[in-house]
Amino acid sequence: EFDALVPPCLEVLEFSNQFIRNDTLLCLMYISMGCTLCDAPCETLVAAMRANATILAKHGATLMLVRSLDSLLGQEGRYNNHDDGMLEREFRLIFNCLYLQIVFCKHNDGFIQSLELGQGRLGKSLVSLLFEATKMCADTDCIPIKRWSC
């Protein structure tokens, strides 16, 4: 039972350093993936992911993920000197968690309307933050996805 684990995880996203945030986002990603390693049959995996998305939505996970994205975009300059991939990892985890929330909660009209509401540091919506992230990637040489070369 992880229902009691979700609220502290969401609280940590707002008040912690980047290392703890990344670990917390990994935990939320695992929950979003149905608490599996994706080795279950498709029907079982999708059912678990859908159930966990409902629990995350009940606790306002999308709101906290939007705030985390907003905060990360606001701190963009601080991460430019890091070459360990922390910025990329945090963006990727936030985007993946948001994506799964959208996929499994899209049938809920209230959830969809909340995506247009201001939720970030300046009252920005998820939609406007996604445009801001896209613009940041277009305006810089650094796209927040770690590229690995063999």
Side-chain angles (χ1 to χ4, degrees), residues 71-112:
S71 176
L72 191 60
L73 287 167
Q75 298 175 7
E76 165 195 352
R78 272 207 269 161
Y79 290 88
N80 286 341
N81 295 328
H82 289 279
D83 60 347
D84 59 358
M86 291 300 287
L87 172 69
E88 295 88 353
R89 185 178 302 119
E90 196 164 349
F91 267 112
R92 190 171 50 250
L93 287 167
I94 290 170
F95 287 144
N96 286 340
C97 288
L98 282 169
Y99 174 76
L100 290 172
Q101 281 301 108
I102 291 168
V103 166
F104 290 107
C105 296
K106 66 183 177 189
H107 63 279
N108 182 331
D109 290 337
F111 172 79
I112 295 301

Side-chain angles (χ1 to χ4, degrees), residues 26-45:
L26 283 170
C27 177
L28 291 171
M29 188 71 219
Y30 181 72
I31 291 170
S32 296
M33 296 299 294
C35 294
T36 69
L37 298 176
C38 295
D39 54 358
C42 186
E43 298 81 21
T44 306
L45 178 62

